[in-house]
Amino acid sequence: MTKIGVIGYGTIGKRVSDAVLLQNDMKLVGITGNSYNYKIEVAKKKGIKIFSADKVGEDLKKNNIYLSGNIYDLVKECDVVVDCTPKGVGQKNKETYLSYDKKAIFQGGESLEVADTSFVAQCNYNQSINKDYIRVVSCNTTGLCRTLHAVDKQYGIDNVHATIIRRAADPWDIYHGPINSIVPVLELPSHHGPDVRTVLPEFSVFTTAMTVPTTIMHVHSVTVDLKNPATDEDVIELFRNTTRIKVVRNSEKIRSTAEIIEFAKDLGRPRGDMPETCVWDKAIGTWGNKLFYLQAVHQESNVVLETIDAIRAAMGFPSAQESIKKTNESMGIN
Ligand SMILES: NC(=O)c1ccc[n+]([C@@H]2O[C@H](COP(=O)([O-])OP(=O)(O)OC[C@H]3O[C@@H](n4cnc5c(N)ncnc54)[C@H](OP(=O)(O)O)[C@@H]3O)[C@@H](O)[C@H]2O)c1
């Protein structure tokens, strides 16, 4: 049993904690609370041990949250720490993980330098086996890597251009926007292309990005220059047969991000999550050696699967395929 501590209990941390609870080879020691809020109340209701993110946990104690200790006590008790704090905090927390000689998994908001490897299970699991510090790449990078890796293995890729249409904020977030604008990312390439290359360095990837007023999922418009030609039908079949990719069908009236998330809710997925990269069947097309497709990425959940596999890689679990299978089965992904 690998003992896990989750630092930061927000969008990603609460999902990672629930996913750890579903694994038969992992034990959730506890989570850290920073400020008092409804998420901490839910953790308490679930019987999860709560540790304060700072030494004292004044705000939590004041609101009748029983503390099992502080972040240092939690880190001491764990084999692997999963840092799910906001961008940049993980880098600071690393000093604590280093001082207790603990392995840590970081999220995609952290810079590349925080970890030994960047990780997407189905692409490069083996590079992270027994590593002490692993960075699960961002939701967008994860989504791109899953489909591009499958295409590269089957047909070979020369070049990729992708446009990332980003959701403005997570659904609970009342602070960010835009609410009535499309905001281009004025940086070329956007950071996603270089990030994909930290996992898949074999071909060049150029990305552009913009933010739009929605909270449910990112959409990617992808153009791939293939080494060997493909047909639309073959690519649909390839994606159907690749783990963590779901081909969504126009005939089922799944034509939008809204319908994908409604579908996930109807399937009974926890929190209405859709961790698979969803590709629309009617938006897969070929023209000469070019392949085009449109895919949707559920930002709140796709990296959770990867985080569970990254824990196994850190602990030396030898098989990517077996880890992916265990994670998928535990979380109802087929
Ligand atoms: N949300 C996404 O769409 C998404 C997708 C993929 C990857 N990521 C990455 O995942 C990481 C976490 O993002 P998130 O969206 O889950 O953030 P979030 O929802 O804001 O959650 C962050 C959590 O960390 C806690 N926290 C804040 N400062 C802390 C500190 N100094 N020490 C310990 N805990 C602290 C917060 O507590 P309080 O709320 O009490 O301050 C909150 O529980 C980031 O690297 C992000 O880039 C996010």
Side-chain angles (χ1 to χ4, degrees):
M1 279 285 183
T2 304
K3 290 180 277 175
I4 311 293
V6 176
I7 312 297
Y9 196 68
T11 305
I12 303 297
K14 65 186 183 182
R15 287 175 167 83
V16 167
S17 304
D18 286 353
V20 167
L21 289 169
L22 294 171
Q23 309 309 310
N24 61 13
D25 54 349
M26 297 179 197
K27 177 179 187 284
L28 182 68
V29 179
I31 58 114
T32 60
N34 190 37
S35 65
Y36 175 72
N37 55 48
Y38 62 90
K39 288 168 260 185
I40 300 299
E41 281 295 348
V42 174
K44 182 177 157 182
K45 275 209 170 67
K46 288 182 173 176
I48 296 172
K49 282 192 187 172
I50 300 164
F51 296 72
S52 60
D54 60 12
K55 269 197 181 134
V56 189
E58 206 49 58
D59 191 30
L60 300 168
K61 279 187 196 156
K62 191 169 80 191
N63 286 286
N64 298 322
I65 298 296
Y66 174 78
L67 293 176
S68 300
N70 60 29
I71 181 169
Y72 306 103
D73 300 310
L74 176 57
V75 171
K76 249 187 275 176
E77 272 192 59
C78 295
D79 301 311
V80 180
V81 179
V82 183
D83 193 295
C84 302
T85 59
K87 191 177 178 170
V89 178
Q91 179 74 59
K92 292 189 194 124
N93 286 344
K94 189 177 175 186
E95 282 172 32
T96 306
Y97 312 147
L98 273 166
S99 67
Y100 287 99
D101 198 18
K102 298 296 176 176
K103 289 176 181 276
I105 312 298
F106 296 94
Q107 297 299 326
E110 296 303 322
S111 64
L112 193 58
E113 295 71 38
V114 78
D116 307 320
T117 52
S118 292
F119 182 89
V120 176
Q122 67 208 72
C123 304
N124 68 347
Y125 180 100
N126 289 352
Q127 290 169 17
S128 293
I129 293 176
N130 286 320
K131 291 284 191 264
D132 289 336
Y133 302 106
I134 301 173
R135 173 178 161 265
V136 170
V137 292
S138 75
C139 47
N140 279 310
T141 304
T142 299
L144 282 168
C145 286
R146 285 182 185 161
T147 48
L148 290 175
H149 178 65
V151 171
D152 188 43
K153 268 199 332 197
Q154 187 80 0
Y155 306 104
I157 292 180
D158 274 331
N159 294 297
V160 177
H161 173 254
T163 300
I164 319 295
I165 301 155
R166 303 164 69 180
R167 61 89 179 93
D170 286 337
W172 59 269
D173 184 349
I174 59 173
Y175 301 108
H176 294 100
I179 55 170
N180 186 24
S181 186
I182 296 172
V183 184
V185 171
L186 299 176
E187 167 192 298
L188 291 179
S190 66
H191 71 271
H192 311 92
D195 206 26
V196 168
R197 300 206 68 204
T198 67
V199 177
L200 300 173
E202 301 82 11
F203 46 84
S204 64
V205 184
F206 193 91
T207 49
T208 46
M210 67 192 78
T211 305
V212 297
T214 178
T215 63
I216 37 176
M217 308 187 89
H218 305 289
V219 168
H220 301 162
S221 172
V222 187
T223 304
V224 186
D225 289 313
L226 301 171
K227 287 192 196 301
N228 298 296
T231 64
D232 306 2
E233 295 71 29
D234 289 348
V235 176
I236 291 174
E237 210 43 35
L238 171 69
F239 286 157
R240 272 208 186 107
N241 293 326
T242 304
T243 188
R244 297 180 181 175
I245 298 176
K246 189 182 269 300
V247 176
V248 290
R249 295 190 299 142
N250 190 50
S251 57
E252 286 179 292
K253 310 272 188 298
I254 304 178
R255 299 150 303 193
S256 64
T257 54
E259 286 155 318
I260 290 174
I261 293 303
E262 194 62 17
F263 178 45
K265 289 179 188 167
D266 290 348
L267 286 172
R269 295 277 183 88
R271 296 188 172 91
D273 284 349
M274 181 61 86
E276 300 98 320
T277 299
C278 293
V279 192
W280 281 281
D281 64 347
K282 293 292 183 200
I284 295 172
T286 50
W287 184 47
N289 269 26
K290 284 194 189 295
L291 164 67
F292 307 93
Y293 58 92
L294 293 172
Q295 64 179 26
V297 164
H298 188 223
Q299 75 278 357
E300 296 164 277
S301 65
N302 73 339
V303 297
V304 175
L305 307 176
E306 309 300 330
T307 301
I308 297 298
D309 293 322
I311 293 170
R312 288 203 188 91
M315 291 305 288
F317 189 85
S319 164
Q321 223 182 340
E322 268 308 301
S323 177
I324 289 169
K325 187 162 173 263
K326 274 168 92 66
T327 307
N328 286 359
E329 281 176 6
S330 69
M331 298 182 66
I333 309 294
N334 51 34

